[in-house]
């Protein structure tokens, strides 16, 4: 496999996908392998707002969170190339998709419903899953979002593969573009 270094990267890499797809855990491993910085957009929003994503959703609403996410994405993409893990909803906004197409390489981390449910059930930090049947909510989100996610530059299945295997597959695909 051809080695990719941070000197060869001219765009940031943005991992997209539903909650539980592995954007953060795979993202920092990918960044390390590429010699790039890693940014978790939700964590950056939490720092700025001085509260958790759950607290933002509960206190100010999803629309407010999406506005902050959009502002931070626009700012983030001005920085030198890095690996970015945004929330699963970042790709819903048409302007965000245009911005990402222009300034980043997007990689959809695709996973099946069963795998996502297993992963998201491990923590109680998913505001979109509050107050309902998680399987129904996740199935609806998949139906709504997967057609948009399919517009990503690359797609990698993150089902039951190890994080390292997913990173290796991403590296292989990045060598081809």
């Amino acid at each position: 496999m051809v080695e990719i270094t941070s000197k060869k990267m001219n765009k940031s890499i943005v991992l997209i996908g539903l909650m539980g797809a592995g954007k953060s855990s795979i993202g920092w491993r990918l960044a390390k392998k590429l010699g790039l910085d890693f940014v978790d957009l939700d964590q950056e929003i939490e720092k700025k707002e001085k509260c958790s994503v759950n607290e933002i959703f509960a206190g100010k609403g999803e629309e407010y969170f999406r506005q902050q996410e959009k502002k931070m994405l626009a700012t983030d993409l001005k920085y030198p190339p890095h690996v970015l893990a945004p929330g699963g909803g970042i790709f819903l906004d048409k302007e965000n998709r245009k911005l990402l197409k222009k300034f980043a390489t997007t990689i959809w981390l695709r996973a099946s419903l069963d795998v996502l449910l297993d992963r998201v059930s491990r923590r109680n930090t998913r505001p979109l899953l509050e107050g309902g049947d998680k399987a129904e909510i996740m199935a609806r989100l998949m139906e709504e979002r997967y057609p948009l996610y399919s517009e990503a530059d690359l797609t990698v299945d993150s089902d039951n593969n190890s994080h390292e295997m997913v990173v290796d597959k991403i590296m292989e695909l990045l060598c081809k573009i």
Side-chain angles (χ1 to χ4, degrees):
M1 173 181 356
V2 176
E3 187 67 27
I4 301 172
T5 65
S6 59
K7 291 178 183 172
K8 292 182 182 178
M9 299 299 302
N10 60 357
K11 288 182 170 183
S12 289
I13 296 169
V14 179
L15 302 177
I16 62 166
L18 280 177
M19 59 188 101
K23 296 181 299 288
S24 295
S25 54
I26 291 166
W28 74 262
R29 286 173 173 85
L30 179 63
K32 184 177 179 183
K33 194 156 196 169
L34 290 169
L36 297 172
D37 289 333
F38 172 71
V39 176
D40 182 306
L41 200 60
D42 283 355
Q43 288 180 359
E44 295 301 310
I45 293 169
E46 288 176 339
K47 283 182 205 171
K48 180 183 173 280
E49 294 290 318
K50 297 180 177 63
C51 60
S52 71
V53 171
N54 277 3
E55 292 167 331
I56 296 168
F57 267 69
K60 297 180 180 179
E62 183 178 357
E63 185 177 334
Y64 176 84
F65 175 80
R66 298 292 175 212
Q67 290 169 354
Q68 300 313 302
E69 186 177 54
K70 187 174 195 161
K71 287 178 192 173
M72 293 203 74
L73 176 66
T75 300
D76 182 86
L77 291 176
K78 293 177 185 174
Y79 296 130
H82 58 283
V83 176
L84 176 68
I90 197 85
F91 221 59
L92 301 180
D93 183 276
K94 188 176 185 175
E95 290 177 31
N96 287 348
R97 289 194 308 276
K98 284 182 184 177
L99 197 62
L100 288 165
K101 283 286 184 192
K102 185 173 182 178
F103 295 108
T105 298
T106 53
I107 301 172
W108 174 21
L109 297 179
R110 182 174 54 194
S112 67
L113 179 60
D114 290 341
V115 169
L116 293 171
L117 277 173
D118 179 56
R119 292 176 184 168
V120 299
S121 296
R122 296 178 194 161
R123 296 187 305 181
N124 194 19
T125 57
R126 314 290 184 166
L128 291 178
L129 296 180
E130 298 296 316
D133 179 89
K134 289 179 183 176
E136 287 178 19
I137 294 168
M138 290 297 289
R140 180 179 45 80
L141 290 173
M142 289 174 86
E143 188 176 316
E144 292 170 0
R145 295 179 180 187
Y146 274 24
L148 294 173
Y149 292 165
S150 70
E151 295 177 23
D153 298 311
L154 303 169
T155 300
V156 176
D157 289 316
S158 70
D159 266 348
N160 289 319
N161 297 322
S162 71
H163 296 313
E164 290 75 20
M165 287 176 65
V166 174
V167 168
D168 287 345
K169 181 63 177 175
I170 292 170
M171 295 291 288
E172 180 183 317
L173 291 173
L174 287 172
C175 287
K176 295 177 181 179
I177 60 171

